[in-house]
Amino acid sequence: MDTKLSILGFAGSLRQGSYNRIILRAAQEMVPSGAELKIFDLAGIPPFNQDLENEPAEKVKEFKAAIRAADALLIATPEYNYSMPGVLKNALDSASRPYGDNALDGKPVAIMGASMGMLGTARAQYHLRQSCVFLNMYPLNSPEVMVAVAQEKVDGNGRLTDPKTRDKIAELLQALIVWARRLK
Ligand code: FNR
């Protein structure tokens, strides 16, 4: 029997009503039957301090273990000041250390993002892709999921309602599964 492909998703926003958390939950609703998507909350990962990298916080250990247990990752990034938020960068920095113990090494990853602006996190996503190079991750190139003007695509219950965006996320999940199976 084929085992399910396990995907770990996380959003670079801690905000309760976060659009990025909303699109991640939408992905969870739509994940194909051959896969499962668990969501990891980055809240509680402390600011990275290299002096303490050999005694990581419990939350960092938990994060690294969850990444290692997953076959693939799905990152939903907001855009802060034309880049990825510190919360996400800090989580990736924490998971990559100490040197030689990079939990992200060799992981297939799909990237998406939602913003209130017109470019839908494009600039943040390309900064994230740049970090993927040094982290030795394998980002999926296509489709790119950049959710612009996100406030017009969700309802009052925190659900993604825009059909085109939902289709695009479904397409991303399907492509990630093919990509992760190919790299396995
Ligand atoms: C923003 N926002 C924003 N939007 C954008 O399209 N480009 C940007 O560079 C920025 N910069 C930025 C900086 C900071 C500090 C904040 C708080 C916000 C707006 C951003 O898209 C909006 O707040 C989203 O709602 C953030 O994502 P979540 O929290 O909804 O997932």
Side-chain angles (χ1 to χ4, degrees):
M1 200 179 73
D2 259 3
T3 51
K4 285 199 173 201
L5 190 100
S6 67
I7 304 170
L8 185 76
F10 46 93
S13 173
L14 306 181
R15 200 168 73 80
Q16 202 62 39
S18 159
Y19 298 119
N20 286 280
R21 289 158 80 120
I22 289 174
I23 62 171
L24 202 51
R25 287 201 297 275
Q28 199 172 36
E29 284 168 20
M30 294 188 286
V31 74
S33 57
E36 59 176 14
L37 170 54
K38 290 184 189 151
I39 295 180
F40 191 93
D41 190 346
L42 300 183
I45 295 184
F48 178 75
N49 176 347
Q50 199 181 352
D51 288 341
L52 306 175
E53 68 176 351
N54 290 309
E55 310 139 49
E58 278 310 310
K59 184 79 191 204
V60 173
K61 287 189 203 164
E62 217 184 294
F63 185 43
K64 291 178 76 171
I67 292 168
R68 287 200 161 108
D71 297 309
L73 306 178
L74 173 62
I75 302 179
T77 183
E79 181 169 288
Y80 279 6
N81 299 317
Y82 285 12
S83 187
M84 73 183 107
V87 162
L88 176 58
K89 183 64 164 57
N90 181 63
L92 296 175
D93 291 345
S94 302
S96 72
R97 298 295 297 188
Y99 185 76
D101 189 30
N102 171 16
L104 299 154
D105 188 16
K107 286 286 167 189
V109 58
I111 295 168
M112 59 183 184
S115 83
M116 297 177 73
M118 296 301 289
L119 293 184
T121 73
R123 294 161 291 218
Q125 290 195 29
Y126 291 126
H127 276 185
L128 174 53
R129 283 179 185 275
Q130 183 175 317
S131 290
C132 289
V133 177
F134 188 71
L135 293 166
N136 194 37
M137 299 174 80
Y138 297 117
L140 181 71
N141 283 331
S142 173
E144 293 185 301
V145 180
M146 295 167 175
V147 185
V149 209
Q151 64 278 19
E152 293 178 7
K153 295 174 178 162
V154 304
D155 68 14
N157 299 315
R159 188 165 187 278
L160 179 69
T161 47
D162 183 62
K164 280 193 182 151
T165 307
R166 292 186 72 86
D167 287 352
K168 208 75 200 161
I169 292 172
E171 200 188 310
L172 181 75
L173 286 166
Q174 201 57 256
L176 176 62
I177 291 166
V178 172
W179 182 230
R181 291 213 191 281
R182 191 192 292 181
L183 293 171
K184 221 170 178 181

